[in-house]
Amino acid sequence: MPSKNKSVLNQKTTKYEFLGPIGAFLMITVLPILVYVLHLSCQFDGHPSRELIVYLSDINNLKTLFTLSNIFSLFDPTAFLAYIIYLAYLIVIFYLIPGRWVEGTQLRDGTKLKYKENGFYNLTLTLFIILIILSTKGHEPFLFIDHHFIGLITASTIVSFALSFYVYLASFQEGKLLALELNPRIGSFDIKYFVELRPGIICWIIVNISMAIKQYHDLGYVTIGMFLIVIFQGWYCVDALYNEPAVLTTMDITTDGFGWMLSFGNFTWVGFLYGLQARYLALHPVYLSRLQIIFIICLQAIGYTIFRGANNEKNHFRNNPEDPKYIELITIINILCYDEIDLKYITTEAGSRLIISGWWGRARHINYLGDWIISWAWCLLCGFDDIIPYFYVIYFAVLLIHRERRDEEKCKKKYKKDWDKYCEIVKWRIVPELEESFEAGLFCLERQISGDVQHSSLRTSTFL
Ligand code: NDP
């Protein structure tokens, strides 16, 4: 891309987000520490969080915490090498495994970038390799992850810092920093697209599986809570990779430049912190009652129905703007039933259409609600002994609320008065008015009872 164009296409942000330089400094320092603290507080010796709080509340302990020898002890050469091999493996299979080339959304210069879609096959191969290792070498090799957990976190953190430093340097043109690049590439290798779904998500699955194996090694069995966390989170990851092209319409790809936050967020935060519940359960097995388990499974099903339903609906609509017909899951109550709906939309002066019915007619970010409900299901599997595994649900609420505000601001700027019109029609931000949803649920139940929902090849009732 010629350098003249580059400054036009990668326009400088005029307003700070995340509290500007102070926020950036705090994030770069506090977030990595938080990942260590949360995982160290799950350590085997002593009950985690309370012991840690007692330890940290003593100022003398705090002073000794940041000594050079303590900091260097976080680095583990074996873990670092293993992590680099893992990344090299991902890059090799990204190139070797064939995939469909899909187009991203339109860029400011009117062009569209192409992306190779083979994440799901990359994951399938990885799971196959795990199976082969398990059946030939047993579960011992997987204990490596538990033994080197802190070292692996450090390795991913170093990689994330190094990569963000690289893209920072690469964004300099003629000695001047132009802006964080939206789509930094090395040749045809799109760094953000690769980092967004592969190293973090595949690592998360591997971490969870090895935590279940560790529990099996210690107890001789896997608890139902551990089994469900591996299935639920594994499903979420498989779903993300299976629906890989859907990432191309998300804010991370369309709006956010690639810098430290996305780099660290994917390598370390998703890769290791998202495995916190599994690690907690590996070190502190929790035994849930049947009723609790049924409740949690229902929560997961409800959350997933909303989350996947909404994201697919938008993705389908954006890819087929002339064909608003869409087959969706009707309601939470009828989660086993699909129905075809004719999506309603408004046309905007900016060119894109905004859906005003289906999931997107219920709230402007109903997909966030689904995601948040899912996060509750995961945390509840860890019981009520400790707040540590609930970090995710708290952090995720903050992330989603903040994300909603940012997206709202972006859309207001893009769609201007059309956005106000849209907000008048779809009034709720994340949580639709409960009363409204209840009525919609009752309405669908009535249709279901009266046999109004047809069952043809398109309008089909499908069991999940
Ligand atoms: P969304 O998928 O919600 O996309 C927002 C964009 O969709 C808007 O900027 C706008 O873009 C378009 N849009 C908004 N309203 C409409 C409408 N009515 N009709 C059609 N298009 C519309 O954003 P995210 O990228 O934030 O989230 C994607 C998913 O990822 C969510 O389910 C979220 O929960 C999940 N997520 C998960 C995280 C995790 O760590 N687990 C982190 C972040 C997100 P345009 O300019 O094209 O109109």
Side-chain angles (χ1 to χ4, degrees):
M1 186 187 293
S3 63
K4 207 170 131 205
N5 266 347
K6 215 164 175 175
S7 60
V8 178
L9 300 175
N10 286 307
Q11 286 164 3
K12 249 191 164 166
T13 316
T14 50
K15 220 177 109 202
Y16 283 135
E17 281 180 11
F18 302 103
L19 302 177
I22 298 171
F25 175 75
L26 284 177
M27 275 197 277
I28 285 175
T29 48
V30 172
L31 296 186
I33 294 175
L34 193 61
V35 177
Y36 286 116
V37 168
L38 287 166
H39 273 294
L40 284 170
S41 55
C42 284
Q43 291 294 37
F44 188 62
D45 37 7
H47 202 275
S49 52
R50 276 163 233 154
E51 291 235 335
L52 194 84
I53 289 163
V54 172
Y55 181 82
L56 292 180
S57 52
D58 184 340
I59 191 82
N60 291 323
N61 287 336
L62 268 184
K63 273 190 221 152
T64 58
L65 204 63
F66 293 99
T67 57
L68 273 185
S69 66
N70 265 355
I71 292 171
F72 282 129
S73 71
L74 299 174
F75 181 73
D76 171 348
T78 318
F80 187 75
L81 184 66
Y83 193 71
I84 295 296
I85 292 173
Y86 162 71
L87 292 182
Y89 156 78
L90 288 184
I91 294 174
V92 169
I93 60 171
F94 170 70
Y95 278 110
L96 289 187
I97 296 180
R100 197 166 57 109
W101 284 86
V102 288
E103 277 189 338
T105 55
Q106 197 165 356
L107 299 171
R108 285 184 198 141
D109 65 352
T111 61
K112 289 181 179 181
L113 290 172
K114 290 205 160 197
Y115 300 88
K116 188 174 178 183
E117 181 203 344
N118 66 358
F120 180 67
Y121 299 116
N122 289 200
L123 175 65
T124 312
L125 177 68
T126 310
L127 291 176
F128 186 64
I129 293 172
I130 291 176
L131 213 63
I132 290 180
I133 298 176
L134 263 176
S135 55
T136 55
K137 304 234 179 268
H139 65 263
E140 292 287 329
F142 293 93
L143 299 178
F144 176 90
I145 294 183
D146 178 60
H147 295 157
H148 295 268
F149 206 82
I150 298 299
L152 287 166
I153 292 178
T154 308
S156 69
T157 308
I158 292 173
V159 169
S160 69
F161 270 85
L163 186 61
S164 48
F165 194 58
Y166 167 78
V167 291
Y168 174 73
L169 290 183
S171 62
F172 274 82
Q173 286 284 313
E174 291 142 18
K176 261 175 55 194
L177 173 68
L178 291 177
L180 264 188
E181 284 223 44
L182 185 61
N183 306 296
R185 288 188 158 206
I186 302 172
S188 63
F189 184 77
D190 192 294
I191 298 176
K192 182 162 69 172
Y193 177 69
F194 177 82
V195 171
E196 189 70 17
L197 284 185
R198 289 138 208 269
I201 287 193
I202 295 178
C203 178
W204 182 9
I205 295 189
I206 297 173
V207 164
N208 280 2
I209 292 175
S210 31
M211 290 304 130
I213 291 172
K214 177 183 162 42
Q215 196 186 58
Y216 179 78
H217 173 79
D218 293 346
L219 303 178
Y221 58 85
V222 170
T223 61
I224 181 80
M226 176 63 96
F227 174 76
L228 288 178
I229 202 80
V230 172
I231 297 295
F232 288 173
Q233 295 190 344
W235 179 272
Y236 189 82
C237 296
V238 170
D239 173 274
L241 287 165
Y242 187 75
N243 295 292
E244 196 176 7
V247 81
L248 297 175
T249 59
T250 63
M251 268 170 78
D252 285 6
I253 297 286
T254 59
T255 317
D256 294 343
F258 184 80
W260 181 84
M261 208 162 83
L262 283 182
S263 184
F264 178 78
N266 284 293
F267 283 110
T268 310
W269 201 260
V270 174
F272 292 95
L273 191 60
Y274 279 20
L276 186 68
Q277 284 92 21
R279 187 159 146 83
Y280 178 85
L281 288 175
L283 300 168
H284 306 276
V286 167
Y287 299 90
L288 300 166
S289 70
R290 267 191 207 156
L291 206 65
Q292 284 172 328
I293 290 165
I294 291 169
F295 176 75
I296 292 170
I297 292 175
C298 289
L299 213 56
Q300 166 79 17
I302 291 168
Y304 183 76
T305 305
I306 301 174
F307 165 79
R308 185 40 57 212
N311 284 330
N312 277 1
E313 188 175 274
K314 182 181 66 152
N315 205 38
H316 170 87
F317 183 74
R318 277 289 150 93
N319 290 329
N320 310 279
E322 300 308 325
D323 178 20
K325 279 197 176 44
Y326 179 68
I327 303 168
E328 76 154 1
L329 298 169
I330 316 174
T331 62
I332 296 165
I333 296 168
N334 293 338
I335 55 172
L336 298 181
C337 183
Y338 287 99
D339 191 22
E340 181 194 281
I341 57 162
D342 228 339
L343 289 176
K344 293 195 182 70
Y345 56 85
I346 55 169
T347 307
T348 66
E349 277 177 20
S352 339
R353 295 167 175 180
L354 293 170
I355 313 167
I356 52 164
S357 68
W359 287 113
W360 292 85
R362 289 172 193 144
R364 301 202 288 275
H365 270 105
I366 190 97
N367 51 346
Y368 290 180
L369 176 67
D371 219 349
W372 197 57
I373 293 175
I374 291 175
S375 73
W376 269 104
W378 298 351
C379 294
L380 285 169
L381 284 172
C382 297
F384 302 101
D385 285 348
D386 211 294
I387 186 105
I388 290 290
Y390 285 84
F391 166 78
Y392 183 69
V393 88
I394 301 164
Y395 139 81
F396 207 42
V398 175
L399 176 136
L400 293 176
I401 291 169
H402 181 251
R403 207 173 165 91
E404 190 275 333
R405 301 279 139 147
R406 283 174 67 216
D407 195 45
E408 183 84 3
E409 204 174 303
K410 180 213 114 179
C411 290
K412 218 173 162 60
K413 217 189 249 169
K414 178 174 174 183
Y415 295 114
K416 301 187 177 76
K417 59 179 175 24
D418 290 323
W419 188 254
D420 296 332
K421 197 165 115 193
Y422 170 63
C423 293
E424 263 172 42
I425 302 169
V426 184
K427 293 196 174 57
W428 310 101
R429 284 173 179 269
I430 298 177
V431 186
E433 198 182 31
L434 290 177
E435 210 177 297
E436 214 168 63
S437 299
F438 185 67
E439 272 171 23
L442 276 184
F443 172 66
C444 286
L445 194 66
E446 273 167 24
R447 285 174 68 198
Q448 191 67 7
I449 292 166
S450 65
D452 200 18
V453 178
Q454 296 181 28
H455 302 282
S456 70
S457 59
L458 258 186
R459 297 184 169 208
T460 177
S461 173
T462 313
F463 287 94
L464 289 172

